[in-house]
Amino acid sequence: QVTLVDSGGGVVQAGGSLRLSCAASERPFKRYTIGWFRQPPGKEREFVATILSDRKSTAYADSVKARFTISGDRTENVVYLQMNSLKPEDTAVYSCAARVPRYRETYAKTDREYDYWGQGTQVTVSS
């Protein structure tokens, strides 16, 4: 079992920025696809962004493109989600997830495709 720790949430004003982190001490983390999901209050969990094991290839939900950036470094067990120009609609519990290697790597955008999850970190954006 891989343990992920997501952190960096908080309360910010609309238009502000926040940086989330997803960390794990296990070495296989560096070979995993990493995704970020969020669950707004009263809504279902939705895809935000993903980064492949090369820590270069990325994909985003349309709602966060040009505002959020997922990044990581192959030399360390951490992936980030930089969130800029935050909107009240971004308010949610954000969770990172790891997908173990498969025959071929894809931009996994559904929570069913991920194997390990962080505990979640609250992001609140006020208007």
Side-chain angles (χ1 to χ4, degrees):
Q1 183 74 25
V2 175
T3 300
L4 306 180
V5 179
D6 36 33
S7 61
V11 180
V12 297
Q13 295 285 323
S17 298
L18 214 54
R19 189 193 197 193
L20 307 184
S21 300
C22 178
S25 59
E26 293 85 356
R27 294 181 181 179
F29 182 83
K30 300 177 180 178
R31 299 186 284 105
Y32 293 171
T33 301
I34 303 299
W36 282 98
F37 291 79
R38 67 186 184 185
Q39 186 167 19
K43 298 182 178 180
E44 296 185 2
R45 185 156 56 190
E46 63 186 31
F47 168 77
V48 175
T50 186
I51 187 167
L52 303 189
S53 61
D54 61 4
R55 296 295 184 261
K56 296 181 182 295
S57 306
T58 62
Y60 300 88
D62 290 341
S63 59
V64 305
K65 283 181 179 177
R67 298 190 299 121
F68 291 11
T69 302
I70 186 171
S71 64
D73 192 318
R74 285 281 291 150
T75 66
E76 59 184 10
N77 295 333
V78 62
V79 168
Y80 302 99
L81 183 68
Q82 178 67 45
M83 306 184 295
N84 299 324
S85 301
L86 284 163
K87 306 174 181 180
E89 302 81 67
D90 296 318
T91 295
V93 175
Y94 285 70
S95 302
C96 70
R99 173 179 164 88
V100 302
R102 263 74 165 175
Y103 177 72
R104 60 184 180 185
E105 199 169 13
T106 63
Y107 294 112
K109 299 180 179 180
T110 67
D111 52 11
R112 304 170 200 78
E113 296 175 277
Y114 290 85
D115 303 286
Y116 306 103
W117 290 82
Q119 79 285 356
T121 184
Q122 177 70 49
V123 172
T124 302
V125 184
S126 60
S127 59

